[in-house]
Amino acid sequence: MSTIQHKEILRIAFPSILSNITVPLLGLTDLAITGHLGSASYIGAIAVGSTIFNMIYWIFAFLRMGTSGMTSQAYGADDKQEMQLLLHRSLCTSAGIAALLLILQNPLLQLALYIMSPPASVAAHASVYFHVYIWGAPAALTLYSMTGWFIGLQNARYPLYIAVMQNVINIAASLLFVFAMHMEVAGVALGTLIAQYCGLALSVLFYRRMSRKLGLSGTFSPSAVFNSDAIRRFFTVNRDIFLRTLCLVCVTLYFTSAGARQGEYILAANALLMQFFTLYSYFMDGFAFAGEALAGKCFGAGERASLNHLINKLFLWGVGVALIFTIFYMGPGEYFMSLLTNESSVIDTAATYLPWAVFIPLAGLSAFIWDGIFIGLTATRHMLLSMACAMLVFFAVYLSLSPLWHNHALWLAFLLYLLVRGLVQHWLYRMKISRTEPF
């Protein structure tokens, strides 16, 4: 294998960044539509319903990441049979999880409403939204598997095309159902549901095209798919990613709840400043995806030198992106906040903590890059270990300093959480992975 070139990184990173940017469009569209229905309870219902599904699907994101890492390794080794089998294993897993979500939908809804405790009017509309949206779980989880498979095969264009088409169909269908057919919240959910299955249909077409290009048989062999050793490795990798995601969710939820306990202005200010992290993550995740695909390819082909070149180039891009965002946040950061809200009191409160948010890109760049590389190498146990260490640092710093520093302690803890993740991963790679993994 030749040395990894910058254009190979951008060929995966750039479409992935565009795909990431389309993610908030779905939520913004739903919010804009319900915002014209004449009642705040509709907006609240969409906020509650979206949060429920975001958390559910976030937890099962291992379907994408695990599939991506293992598929890229099979691609690097030119193992066509394993490429096919990995997709089949992932699809069977996504189908099983989707079936459980459908069967347990009522207990899940009641648990979510109990935890979130929305007003009765909001809960009623959120329940309608939930019971329509939940039937998209098979499509949504299958798309996770398909997206991971495409990225593992070094193709980030197909997920981009699917995301764009989903957004267009979702907007058109939601407008039709809400304003022409007067279906209110159910119409918003149905529009998204239809868009998900349209995305699934397009992914099947892309799968067939990719299979023909690679010469894959497409035959489903239960004995090969459910081979005990292969299944054990598949679920070990995905178990570690699942547990790592739970740690991430714990930090994210606690960050929000800790801000909420300090009052509505602190809560709003923290939510505003977290958009700095979200925007940055859309770009850095693109390079993480490139790391998944290309690191796995190098590993599968047994090219240690190419992997080292890839890591150096990824960090070069990561530093460049981090510096650009840091300069942007240091300069027009307050202007950016004014684009998100016109509440001067919230902006003034957020400005107090803006210096912390400015350091998000530099604190987080290493964690994003190493996450992608570790997924490509299927070094998921090390990912889990680094996340656990970072989570412990987050809680230790905040709980010890919060009586004195209050919200400043929360932001310090969050930045150290990002920084420690990257530092521990760097140490694990240099001292453990690079010395023990066979090439």
Side-chain angles (χ1 to χ4, degrees):
M1 185 187 297
S2 59
T3 301
I4 298 293
Q5 302 297 320
H6 286 292
K7 64 180 182 181
E8 294 181 76
I9 294 174
L10 293 178
R11 182 168 51 84
I12 298 171
F14 187 65
S16 298
I17 291 169
L18 294 179
S19 296
N20 291 339
I21 292 173
T22 68
V23 171
L25 292 180
L26 287 172
L28 289 173
T29 298
D30 291 348
L31 189 62
I33 291 173
T34 53
H36 290 82
L37 290 179
S39 173
S41 62
Y42 291 125
I43 299 175
I46 294 297
V48 170
S50 298
T51 300
I52 293 172
F53 284 103
N54 286 341
M55 297 308 298
I56 290 174
Y57 292 148
W58 196 5
I59 289 172
F60 296 120
F62 65 82
L63 290 167
R64 188 206 65 75
M65 291 185 279
T67 303
S68 172
M70 288 182 279
T71 300
S72 64
Q73 291 181 10
Y75 181 82
D78 196 28
D79 189 341
K80 291 182 169 56
Q81 182 183 27
E82 187 62 12
M83 294 179 212
Q84 186 75 65
L85 291 173
L86 281 166
L87 177 61
H88 289 164
R89 290 183 193 116
S90 186
L91 291 175
C92 289
T93 304
S94 63
I97 294 172
L100 283 174
L101 290 176
L102 293 175
I103 292 170
L104 299 174
Q105 59 180 282
N106 287 323
L108 281 173
L109 174 61
Q110 296 307 314
L111 176 62
L113 293 178
Y114 173 76
I115 293 172
M116 302 179 75
S117 302
S121 59
V122 172
H125 292 307
S127 298
V128 172
Y129 181 87
F130 179 93
H131 284 303
V132 175
Y133 201 119
I134 190 65
W135 291 98
L141 296 178
T142 298
L143 281 170
Y144 272 178
S145 296
M146 298 297 292
T147 298
W149 193 68
F150 289 139
I151 292 174
L153 298 178
Q154 320 296 296
N155 189 323
R157 293 178 293 109
Y158 286 172
L160 172 60
Y161 299 155
I162 292 168
V164 171
M165 188 201 70
Q166 280 187 271
N167 276 282
V168 172
I169 291 177
N170 178 62
I171 292 170
S174 295
L175 289 172
L176 173 66
F177 294 139
V178 173
F179 295 114
M181 302 179 68
H182 307 292
M183 295 178 65
E184 299 177 338
V185 170
V188 175
L190 184 58
T192 305
L193 178 70
I194 290 174
Q196 289 172 327
Y197 279 100
C198 288
L200 176 58
L202 184 59
S203 73
V204 171
L205 293 177
F206 286 150
Y207 158 75
R208 291 178 177 176
R209 181 183 297 179
M210 184 68 77
S211 295
R212 288 195 298 268
K213 178 181 178 181
L214 295 174
L216 305 182
S217 66
T219 303
F220 182 84
S221 171
S223 60
V225 170
F226 299 109
N227 173 273
S228 59
D229 290 337
I231 283 291
R232 188 178 302 111
R233 176 176 183 254
F234 182 85
F235 281 105
T236 297
V237 168
N238 286 310
R239 177 202 63 201
D240 293 338
I241 298 174
F242 173 75
L243 294 175
R244 174 255 184 195
T245 305
L246 286 182
C247 292
L248 191 154
V249 169
C250 286
V251 171
T252 302
L253 290 179
Y254 190 87
F255 183 94
T256 302
S257 64
R261 288 195 295 271
Q262 298 178 69
E264 61 179 14
Y265 285 113
I266 293 294
L267 174 62
N270 285 352
L272 191 62
L273 290 172
M274 280 302 288
Q275 299 309 307
F276 286 67
F277 175 73
T278 301
L279 179 62
Y280 173 66
S281 70
Y282 290 152
F283 284 80
M284 287 304 295
D285 271 340
F287 291 98
F289 287 4
E292 294 176 22
L294 295 170
K297 179 183 175 183
C298 293
F299 184 91
E303 291 282 349
R304 183 184 293 274
S306 294
L307 176 62
N308 291 333
H309 285 298
L310 169 66
I311 293 172
N312 291 335
K313 286 183 171 64
L314 284 172
F315 270 96
L316 184 62
W317 279 103
V319 169
V321 172
L323 288 175
I324 291 172
F325 272 88
T326 299
I327 293 170
F328 172 72
Y329 291 161
M330 288 176 64
E334 290 195 42
Y335 175 73
F336 176 63
M337 291 191 294
S338 69
L339 295 177
L340 299 175
T341 180
N342 58 3
E343 288 288 337
S344 59
S345 55
V346 174
I347 295 175
D348 291 341
T349 303
T352 304
Y353 306 101
L354 178 59
W356 294 109
V358 166
F359 287 101
I360 285 175
L362 293 174
L365 80 91
S366 185
F368 279 101
I369 298 298
W370 281 121
D371 274 353
I373 294 167
F374 277 34
I375 289 172
L377 300 179
T378 57
T380 52
R381 179 62 55 84
H382 298 298
M383 281 182 69
L384 173 59
L385 177 60
S386 64
M387 178 61 78
C389 291
M391 181 180 68
L392 290 175
V393 168
F394 171 83
F395 285 108
V397 169
Y398 176 68
L399 294 176
S400 60
L401 295 180
S402 59
L404 294 175
W405 286 16
H406 308 294
N407 201 49
H408 287 291
L410 184 61
W411 277 101
L412 174 62
F414 183 72
L415 289 180
L416 290 176
Y417 151 78
L418 294 176
L419 185 63
V420 167
R421 267 174 61 192
L423 291 176
V424 173
Q425 286 173 307
H426 181 82
W427 183 83
L428 287 171
Y429 181 80
R430 297 301 180 192
M431 303 303 295
K432 301 287 185 180
I433 300 173
S434 64
R435 299 184 180 185
T436 59
E437 292 291 356
F439 275 82

